[in-house]
């Protein structure tokens, strides 16, 4: 078992920039592409993800410290530390259940494709850690490997069904045809986020509040372009964090760069993915008639939209304020503050880029996230201790916004808690 876990960790350590090209190459071959063409598609997608993750790292390495600077500046003290998705992922892969998740998840996905219960072929293997987390936390609760694996599969099925549901949004709003997103942290916000957006857009007066990038640019001219939005919002975040003048300018420039570079990286991605998607459609049409199939990718492909980044930057200080003023919250937002662009992507898509509506709905759901993360702090900490996770100095309790505050994970955990 230990060797299996070590092999799994070594495989995952290669990262999506290696795993995805290999997966795309094999998929292309499976759908009848010539080896050279399939290899080129995989290579282009690998290059695109190198670029995407470089931009994501630029975002996170600037946004994270600024957000944490706000926490320190305002002297916020709460007794549960948000260890972020890296901590939650490390705990997940340290669980005994982890060795079974990847082969089981691939098998479930194939069965669902064959039985037409999903249209998503999820090649985002790295993010299987979300399924692993749910399995691991239920295993920690119950001590039962079977219950843990069932919980992980339930989470996966929910992610695939939501990925199918939201794929038309990716096509129409994000201009990502043939792609779906089954990333656990992102899809969880779609469950309530999309209905909340639709409800908000029927409320008198509020429904007319509109601030999408096109409207902003029309009203502000050149200063309404996404590059300026990134500059201004980034600088505002730096000021809230108490940065010096030079640091404020640096974070403003970094956010401006994210606004410009991310959409261009996604265009490179689509250059590699389009031939694979076309081959898949032709293959399936010959054998099963007209049938769409989506390639499931990391949510990073959707965060480059200016409205997503703008919404996330506004929600960072709001999240910190919520943590302070929400009665009953014990979680200090920390590690996952830089993950907010990923969790609001579907909210922004449902709002058609309306930043005002996206921020309102995002605020409500982040408040709910903080309460769920607080409620799961004890079991989250027990899971961390079992996985020999290095606890942050000065704290006895940990949680995470990404999975501890994940609605789907929370519901599944509570269901199994009834029987244990």
């Amino acid at each position: 078992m230990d060797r299996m876990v070590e092999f799994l960790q070594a495989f995952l350590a290669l990262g999506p920039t290696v795993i995805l090209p290999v997966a795309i190459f094999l998929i292309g071959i499976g759908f009848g592409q010539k080896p050279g063409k399939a290899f080129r598609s995989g290579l282009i997608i690998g290059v695109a993800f190198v670029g995407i993750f470089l931009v994501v790292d630029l975002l996170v390495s600037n946004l994270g410290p600024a957000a944490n600077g706000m926490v320190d500046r305002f002297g916020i003290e709460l007794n549960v530390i948000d260890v972020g998705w890296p901590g939650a992922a490390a705990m997940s892969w340290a669980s005994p259940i982890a060795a079974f998740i990847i082969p089981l998840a691939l098998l479930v996905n194939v069965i669902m494709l064959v039985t037409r219960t999903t249209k998503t072929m999820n090649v985002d293997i790295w993010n299987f850690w979300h399924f692993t987390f749910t399995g691991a936390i239920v295993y920690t609760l119950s001590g039962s490997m079977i219950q843990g694996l069932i919980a992980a599969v339930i989470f996966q099925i929910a992610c695939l069904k939501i990925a199918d549901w939201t794929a038309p949004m990716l096509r129409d709003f994000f201009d990502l045809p043939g792609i779906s997103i089954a990333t656990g942290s992102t899809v969880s916000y779609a469950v309530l986020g999309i209905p909340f957006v639709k409800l908000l857009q029927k409320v008198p007066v509020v429904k007319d509040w509109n601030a999408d990038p096109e409207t902003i640019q029309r009203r502000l001219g050149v200063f309404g372009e996404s590059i300026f939005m990134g500059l201004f919002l980034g600088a505002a975040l730096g000021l809230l964090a108490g940065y010096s003048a030079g640091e404020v300018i640096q974070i403003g420039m970094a956010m401006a760069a994210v606004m410009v570079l991310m959409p261009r990286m996604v265009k490179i991605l689509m250059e590699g993915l389009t031939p694979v998607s076309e081959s898949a459609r032709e293959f399936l049409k010959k054998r099963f008639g007209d049938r769409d199939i989506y390639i499931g990718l990391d949510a990073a492909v959707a965060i480059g939209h200016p409205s997503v980044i703008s919404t996330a930057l506004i929600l960072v200080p709001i999240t910190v304020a919520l943590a302070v003023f929400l009665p009953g919250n014990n979680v200090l937002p920390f590690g996952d503050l830089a993950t907010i662009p990923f969790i609001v992507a579907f909210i922004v898509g449902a709002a058609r880029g309306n930043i005002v509506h996206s921020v309102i709905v995002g605020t409500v759901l982040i408040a709910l996230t903080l309460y769920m993360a607080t409620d799961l702090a004890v079991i989250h900490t027990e899971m961390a201790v079992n996985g020999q996770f290095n606890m942050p100095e000065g704290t006895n309790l940990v949680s995470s916004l990404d999975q501890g505050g994940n609605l789907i994970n929370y519901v599944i955990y509570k269901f199994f808690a009834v029987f244990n």
Side-chain angles (χ1 to χ4, degrees), residues 380-395:
H380 204 310
T381 303
E382 184 179 348
M383 178 178 155
V385 171
N386 291 344
Q388 299 182 330
F389 179 75
N390 291 325
M391 301 285 284
E393 185 177 350
T395 185

Side-chain angles (χ1 to χ4, degrees), residues 45-84:
I45 287 173
V47 168
F49 264 96
V50 168
I52 286 171
F53 285 117
L54 283 173
V55 180
V56 169
D57 184 61
L58 177 65
L59 171 68
V60 171
S61 63
N62 283 273
L63 181 56
N68 297 333
M70 279 193 298
V71 172
D72 294 337
R73 184 185 183 197
F74 294 108
I76 302 169
E77 294 184 5
L78 295 164
N79 68 334
V80 179
I81 299 297
D82 162 31
V83 294

Side-chain angles (χ1 to χ4, degrees), residues 242-261:
Y243 280 5
S244 66
E247 290 171 326
V248 167
I249 295 171
Q250 286 179 330
I251 191 173
M253 285 299 299
M255 294 305 105
V258 170
M259 289 285 200
V260 173
L261 294 175

